[in-house]
Amino acid sequence: MSDPYMPLTSVRSGIGFEAAKGVHGLTVQIANVYFIQYPSEPHSFILIDAGMPQSAGMILNEAKQRFGDDYHLKAIILTHGHFDHIGAIEEILEHWDVPVYIHSREMPFVTGKEDYPPARPDSKSGLVAKLSPLFPRHSIDISSHVQALPEDGTVPFLDEWIWITTPGHTPGHISLFREDGHVLVAGDAVITVEQEKMADVFIQKQELHGPPAYFTPDTETAAESIQRLAELEPGALLTGHGIPMTGRNFRSDLMELANHISSL
Ligand SMILES: [Zn+2]
């Protein structure tokens, strides 16, 4: 059964952007996906996350625009398995028989074994938070394609990148980091919009923010994850929600955010 179209969107939906050297981004309604160029093959890429339900056409079209008609998807890496990060994955896999990688602790949510816990609509004020009980949280089943990320922190197909465990938002949430340019693909561990607020989401008002509160059962662990990301001294924050922030060292901003969240 496919999920219904979610009437949540933003002014940037469908807009692609160069997020960092070798990393192209696309906003799909309210969530971002990233295309990381596969080294030495100009038409090939690895997709990070898979957008909202029913967005496969939009994502693959963007791939064609960016990588050419003979574009080639090598693999998909998921930061976590929430509906707005895996929405198009089943349809993409119908076109592209490629491996999907996710943290081992996140596997039950993408192999039909475990659903995410219920949303917490009262965790923070805002219309998106209020609507969150309507968001799908059931497990999908892509067992035929998905496998656990290697435990040593290496990222398949992407030698320059490492993955870091950033739980709290979900038990097996990960972020990706590249030393070159100190580029962080953060998923929902940290985001750049106040995701609980419909108006902010719609205009994509830029603001450094913790993970969406309505879907974050473990705030304390989420704060520790942000602290861990701060220690990497990222110079570019490419997040699952919101317009990327680039051009400075985000260490102190992230430390401050982690302290703020753990004091709530
Ligand atoms: Zn999420």
Side-chain angles (χ1 to χ4, degrees), residues 5-6 8-17 24-33 35 45 47 50-66 71 88 91-92 95:
Y5 177 80
M6 286 278 144
L8 283 169
T9 196
S10 75
V11 291
R12 285 172 59 92
S13 184
I15 296 178
F17 51 91
H24 186 78
L26 170 69
T27 304
V28 179
Q29 296 176 237
I30 58 157
N32 298 324
V33 301
F35 308 77
F45 65 95
L47 182 68
M52 295 283 281
Q54 302 192 23
S55 66
M58 186 192 272
I59 293 170
L60 296 179
N61 245 328
E62 186 70 16
K64 200 186 278 185
Q65 299 290 326
R66 172 63 182 75
Y71 74 90
E91 205 181 329
I92 292 174
H95 296 273

Side-chain angles (χ1 to χ4, degrees), residues 80 82 84-85 169-170 188 212 215 241:
H80 62 305
H82 274 157
D84 46 352
H85 296 257
H169 180 56
T170 65
D188 285 358
F215 262 179
H241 302 279

